[in-house]
Amino acid sequence: MIDLTDDLDALRDDWGVEITFIPKVGSSVTISDAIRHDEPADLMEGRSMRRIAFELPASSLSRDPAKEDAIRDAAGTVWLVTQVKRLDEAGAWYLDVERSTRT
């Protein structure tokens, strides 16, 4: 297994953003080194779409994240978790999200 710890720590130092992870059940957690992914998604009916995801260090959460947990970014936007992927080689969680009406 490849150890990417040093590279990932440097990446989080340079690109990390502060978010609040809001589990559906339990207490919220502030994470200062999450990485926000914002990339083009598949075209849908001729409109361009964006795919938003957050990558969180696995050590920052006391339990596994789940669908319907939420993330509040620094701008106050709340994102609902729609898909959870564990990135073992990166020691992180990759959470696909969509904008939520939850506050």
Side-chain angles (χ1 to χ4, degrees):
M1 184 158 105
I2 299 172
D3 184 5
L4 301 173
T5 306
D6 291 338
D7 293 336
L8 291 171
D9 288 344
L11 182 65
R12 289 186 179 119
D13 288 343
D14 292 343
W15 295 98
V17 296
E18 186 171 291
I19 58 102
T20 302
F21 178 78
I22 308 164
K24 190 172 180 181
V25 177
S27 300
S28 299
V29 176
T30 299
I31 300 170
S32 61
D33 57 353
I35 298 173
R36 179 187 163 124
H37 296 266
D38 183 347
E39 55 195 42
D42 296 330
L43 291 178
M44 183 175 199
E45 297 179 15
R47 295 183 292 181
S48 63
M49 304 290 285
R50 304 297 299 171
R51 179 179 180 196
I52 309 295
F54 289 89
E55 185 177 320
L56 312 178
S59 61
S60 63
L61 301 176
S62 61
R63 68 157 181 83
D64 295 355
K67 286 183 177 181
E68 298 188 20
D69 287 341
I71 292 173
R72 181 178 298 113
D73 65 20
T77 303
V78 177
W79 302 93
L80 187 65
V81 176
T82 60
Q83 186 172 359
V84 176
K85 297 177 203 162
R86 185 179 184 105
L87 305 175
D88 288 328
E89 68 281 0
W93 292 103
Y94 189 90
L95 308 176
D96 286 312
V97 297
E98 64 183 23
R99 192 179 299 261
S100 175
T101 56
R102 216 164 115 181
T103 57

